[in-house]
Amino acid sequence: MSTTADPLAALGALPGVADSVDSVRKAVDRVYGHRVMRRRSTAVTSEAALRGARGSAALSGADWPLEEVRRRSDFSGVGGDEEARTVGAALRLTAEAGQLLSIWRQSPLRVLARLHLVAAADSGDMVGRPRQGGEPVDEPLVELPLPNAPEVAGRLEGLSGLIIAGGSAPALVTAAVVHGELLALRPFGSYNGLVARTAERIVLVGSGLDPKSICPAEVGHAEQGRAEYLAALEGYVSGTPEGVAAWIAHCGRSVEFGARESTAVCEALQRGAA
């Protein structure tokens, strides 16, 4: 990251990032301008939440059909059903995100701890706090080198400071950095991917880019595929300008795909088919 006074804003000046920001803004504006949004925005928000949770769970190894997620009511993971537990965690996080918007800008670390507590849904001593030295991390789908606990603590504090300070960075840039940092660090013992994607959603909604939460980036991340997601993440972790810009562009495309998904929901609602 840049060492300037506003490093997130500096990332917005990387080659191609301004185009991604502009493209995302236009995509979001288009779906917000749909006539259905004037009358049934709550229905669109609810459907976007469900589809976003399904997409996030898919990226964490539980790639269930949307209708299965809609139909099921038991996500306790009884009998060792880890996929059900993952889908349940994604759904809980999506529901919780909207309750944490007002806290995020004042205490992002508190929000992250709460998100992990909600995802894990138990009272173990590793829940709701960053991992300590020697503690394991259950995140098998992300195989990047794992930073040690002191580095995690330092980088989390740095990320928190940037968020609290605010700045002029576009929402897409801030959301992508939050998402990328959390996946790179994997600060918790489990569910880091789900927490990272929920934090991205909180930034996009809380910034005012997507205030009604109808453009689920999780849908776009899943649609682009896990291999492309992880390749883009590797670019971010490399720290090169090209790699970071490619990650931001990937996140931008994900928001655009989420906007496209909700446009389809609007069209279906307009036809009376959903």
Side-chain angles (χ1 to χ4, degrees):
M1 258 186 222
S2 168
T3 57
T4 62
D6 191 350
L8 292 178
L11 295 181
L14 291 173
V17 170
D19 290 340
S20 295
V21 169
D22 185 57
S23 184
V24 165
R25 178 76 269 174
K26 289 176 180 176
V28 173
D29 286 347
R30 279 194 296 271
V31 67
Y32 271 85
H34 197 286
R35 62 188 301 179
V36 166
M37 287 296 296
R38 294 196 296 269
R39 298 177 287 109
R40 304 192 64 183
S41 64
T42 301
V44 180
T45 295
S46 296
E47 188 65 18
L50 183 70
R51 295 180 184 216
R54 193 218 73 83
S56 192
L59 287 167
S60 287
D63 193 0
W64 287 13
L66 179 64
E67 292 310 312
E68 177 69 4
V69 179
R70 198 190 305 277
R71 180 188 66 82
R72 285 280 289 268
S73 58
D74 179 14
F75 298 100
S76 62
V78 173
D81 189 346
E82 290 298 329
E83 289 194 6
R85 191 174 288 119
T86 297
V87 175
L91 288 166
R92 290 192 300 274
L93 285 173
T94 299
E96 185 74 10
Q99 310 303 313
L100 299 172
L101 293 171
S102 62
I103 305 171
W104 175 255
R105 283 293 298 272
Q106 285 74 44
S107 185
L109 297 184
R110 178 182 165 196
V111 169
L112 293 175
R114 173 63 185 171
L115 291 176
H116 186 247
L117 184 66
V118 168
D122 63 44
S123 56
D125 61 4
M126 287 182 62
V127 172
R129 62 161 176 81
R131 56 187 168 85
Q132 299 172 2
E135 291 181 335
V137 174
D138 181 15
E139 202 73 39
L141 301 178
V142 179
E143 298 179 349
L144 296 168
L146 191 67
N148 60 34
E151 181 180 353
V152 168
R155 286 173 62 175
L156 282 178
E157 286 293 339
L159 182 64
S160 175
L162 289 175
I163 293 165
I164 292 170
S168 59
L172 172 64
V173 172
T174 303
V177 168
V178 167
H179 185 169
E181 277 292 286
L182 292 174
L183 271 183
L185 296 176
R186 280 148 289 161
F188 301 108
S190 58
Y191 297 113
N192 290 285
L194 296 180
V195 168
R197 291 184 287 274
T198 304
E200 177 185 48
R201 173 186 286 264
I202 287 172
V203 174
L204 294 171
V205 174
S207 67
L209 176 64
D210 179 21
K212 294 183 183 295
S213 194
I214 61 168
C215 302
E218 305 96 323
V219 168
H221 289 303
E223 187 170 334
Q224 293 182 83
R226 190 181 300 151
E228 188 167 336
Y229 180 68
L230 295 176
L233 177 63
E234 286 184 12
Y236 176 82
V237 172
S238 75
T240 66
E242 296 81 9
V244 174
W247 169 250
I248 294 170
H250 174 89
C251 292
R253 288 191 297 274
S254 296
V255 177
E256 291 183 59
F257 287 154
R260 185 179 69 184
E261 184 90 352
S262 286
T263 298
V265 170
C266 287
E267 295 293 331
L269 288 169
Q270 188 166 278
R271 295 191 304 269

